[in-house]
Amino acid sequence: MIIQNLRAENILKYKQLDLQEIPPHGLIAISGQNESGKSTIGETICFALFGRTFSLDHNDIGKLIRWGENRCSVTIGFIEESGESFELSRSLDIDGNHSARLCRTDDRDNPMATGAETVSHALFQLTTFGYDEFVESFYLAQREITSPQPHSLTLKTIAGLSTLEKGAFTIEEEVHRDEANITKIEQELQQQQDELVTMEFDPDHLQELQRQKSHADQEQHKLTERIDHYESTLTAYSRTYPQLLSHTTAHSRLTFWLGLNITLLLIVATSWLLMTIQPELKQSWLNIFSPLLPQGMGWMALPLIPLFFLRKSYSSSIKRLRLPGVALGAALQDSDHGLPPELGKRCNQLAPQATESRLEGAKLTQEIEPVLKALKSNQQESAAKSKKMIEPIQVEEQRQVQTATLGQSIARLEGEMDELVSHNHSRIISIELLAGASRHLSRRFNHVIREHVGMTLPLFTENRYEHLQIEDDMTIRVFSNEKRGYLELDEISSGTQRQIMLAVRLALSQELASKRVQSNQFLILDEPFAFFDQERTINSLAVLPELSEDLPQIFVTSQVFPDGAAFQREIACSRETTVLQ
Amino acid sequence: MSSSEQTKPLNVTERRSTIEEFLEYCAAEKNNRQNSGEPFDAESFDQGVEIALQKLTSLQKEGWT
């Protein structure tokens, strides 16, 4: 940022301040007696840029308004590295109303930002430094020249450490947060593991219970089937038994009649054959039957076929009607389902009788009744056993679900914890790296500052002090050429201290301009040579414009400048003047 | 050293962002650790670098430079 012009009204002693065409390079001398308004120029620039001055913060800024006036205003024009020109206007009234406006010089109708806060933000985007960095480097106020504070955020920002330290700090916070989370998870994990141990769930026990129930269910099922089979076959047996009896009787009768018929037919056929072979028999008494024989054979043979088929039909029917008995007999034969021995024996006795349908239905039902009763008793016993198993199995299954849920939860927690631990491990490495990089940058920053200081210190101190030693904590020692050793700052005079601090301040300005701002930058030095003799002042003034290519425009104030000093512009202030142009 | 002729403008400090500075440091540090003869977990180291880098990038977006 190079200042091109500055216009102000009613600021401190000035009714009007109008500095145009300010040289972009070289020294700009501001001279005058005490209270002539020299420092006001620097304060006006500071107010224009940041809405406050070194001595008046935002709460007291109203004191900036010229005595007796209601309002003050300032407009500063500046150019950035890009070559673009900007104009920042700011006004303040005694009621505390504060307005600001930032625009490009070639586009004043369209401001980039309006309002104090917005302008402040936009200016930071443009210049990349704020008030704190400004007063620590580019603006040396008259009253302020102290040793840099090692813990100052501004100094760390200039050194490039603040981002690294902020990063390390936020990661450390994350580590602490996750450590707390890990502790919480560990406690939860321990609690769940204890709970799991307390449950003492044995999967084999559940399997055994399930096996027992399954066995009881199968037994019950088999018994139910067996009982149903007994009952259905017994019912069928009882239903078919009378029919079987009648069919068996009919079949027997038919067998008798069929046998009789065949016998007679054989007799008649034999007689007819004999008479045919021995005709002499025709002469006997048999001769009277001879004409009837063929006819008789015909009559006898005639019912033979229906009888045969009718008998066959009965045979089939009997065979079908005996099936329930056969089935029942087979069932009785296979009746070993936990029956008492005497009942088993009885079943074996009844089996052939049922198979051959030798017993009447009612009788057989009566005989089988104890068997059925015993089977039903066994069935009920199995059912009761199965039912009894339900609750313990349910309890075990529930415990199994709880165990599985706990197991999953434990696995999840262990996973979460491992992830957090691993992430924290990486975070700790990142913190170490950020701290290492901070140390590295800090040392390099100190080295750079030492180098910068080495260019001006001998000049400011007439070669009595050549270089500084800056520790990591920004403790400064200075090398005395006379004493050939390092001295603490408090071992040397306050005038020399001020000279050393000026060299340090210039070094910080150079570093900030080159590292952060990365643009040509103005510098304001308010009474920097108050403790310098004339020769040193002349030498210092000669070297300042060439101090750094990043700091080409330097405002210097002094009551009187020595003759022979070369300035690009001289601004003379006086106590009586309220208008400066 | 009493005249301006003896004083030359200093070289401008090499202009690099904090992230670039950090990455340069990490590269050098990794090289040191790899060649130190001590056990070195490169994967963890790279993860640490990645976490720090993400944080610095995030801070840079917030305006930290």
Side-chain angles (χ1 to χ4, degrees), chain A residues 48 82 97 158 184 223 268 331 365 394 399 425 496 512 568:
Chain A
S82 61
N97 297 312
I158 295 171
K184 213 156 78 177
L223 285 167
V268 172
T365 302
Q394 281 175 343
R399 276 159 43 81
H425 176 66
T496 307
L512 179 62
Q568 290 299 311

Side-chain angles (χ1 to χ4, degrees), chain A residues 201-202 205-206 209 392-400:
Chain A
F201 174 75
D202 179 6
H205 178 56
L206 176 62
L209 288 174
I393 286 174
Q394 281 175 343
V395 169
E396 281 303 298
E397 282 175 342
Q398 207 172 350
R399 276 159 43 81
Q400 187 184 36

Side-chain angles (χ1 to χ4, degrees), chain A residues 474-518:
Chain A
M474 288 304 283
T475 305
I476 293 174
R477 291 186 186 83
V478 61
F479 187 79
S480 166
N481 284 344
E482 291 169 4
K483 298 180 180 173
R484 306 306 301 168
Y486 282 99
L487 301 177
E488 301 286 341
L489 275 187
D490 55 11
E491 293 181 75
I492 53 182
S493 71
S494 60
T496 307
Q497 277 184 34
R498 196 174 163 86
Q499 289 158 2
I500 292 167
M501 283 305 116
L502 176 63
V504 172
R505 180 58 68 92
L506 288 171
L508 290 176
S509 303
Q510 282 176 260
E511 185 60 5
L512 179 62
S514 69
K515 195 170 170 69
R516 279 284 303 281
V517 179
Q518 299 186 3

Side-chain angles (χ1 to χ4, degrees), chain A residues 163 167 170 174 426 429-430 433 436-437 444 452 455 459 510-511 514-516 539 543 546-547 549-550, chain B residues 1-2 4 7-10 12-13 15-16 18 21-22 25 44-45 47-49 51 55 59 64-65:
Chain A
T163 313
T170 51
E174 289 169 3
S426 301
I429 291 173
S430 76
L433 288 171
R444 207 174 66 186
H452 289 330
M455 301 304 290
L459 186 70
Q510 282 176 260
E511 185 60 5
S514 69
K515 195 170 170 69
R516 279 284 303 281
N539 289 340
V543 84
E546 296 173 13
L547 192 64
E549 59 188 24
D550 290 320
Chain B
M1 240 170 91
S2 59
S4 62
T7 308
K8 290 183 290 184
L10 288 175
V12 174
T13 309
R15 290 168 178 167
R16 279 172 300 182
T18 304
E21 299 270 19
F22 175 71
Y25 169 79
S44 295
F45 184 91
Q47 282 172 355
V49 173
I51 288 171
K55 187 59 70 182
L59 287 171
W64 290 75
T65 54

Side-chain angles (χ1 to χ4, degrees), chain A residues 7 11 18 65 79 99 106 109 171 181 188 234 248 302 333 337 370 384-385 531 570:
Chain A
R7 293 190 310 278
I11 288 188
D18 190 0
I65 301 170
I79 186 166
S99 66
D106 57 4
D109 295 335
I171 293 171
N181 287 338
E188 205 176 336
L234 197 56
T248 307
L302 196 62
Q333 196 71 41
H337 294 281
K385 195 176 174 184
F531 290 83
E570 293 183 47

Side-chain angles (χ1 to χ4, degrees), chain B residues 2-65:
Chain B
S2 59
S3 75
S4 62
E5 289 169 5
Q6 291 173 280
T7 308
K8 290 183 290 184
L10 288 175
N11 292 330
V12 174
T13 309
E14 208 175 336
R15 290 168 178 167
R16 279 172 300 182
S17 70
T18 304
I19 289 178
E20 286 169 335
E21 299 270 19
F22 175 71
L23 287 176
E24 189 189 45
Y25 169 79
C26 289
E29 187 65 17
K30 187 174 183 179
N31 190 43
N32 285 344
R33 292 191 189 185
Q34 275 173 333
N35 297 319
S36 67
E38 298 291 321
F40 174 62
D41 183 356
E43 194 181 342
S44 295
F45 184 91
D46 290 342
Q47 282 172 355
V49 173
E50 187 58 33
I51 288 171
L53 196 58
Q54 282 173 4
K55 187 59 70 182
L56 293 177
T57 307
S58 158
L59 287 171
Q60 199 175 42
K61 284 178 187 166
E62 288 172 21
W64 290 75
T65 54

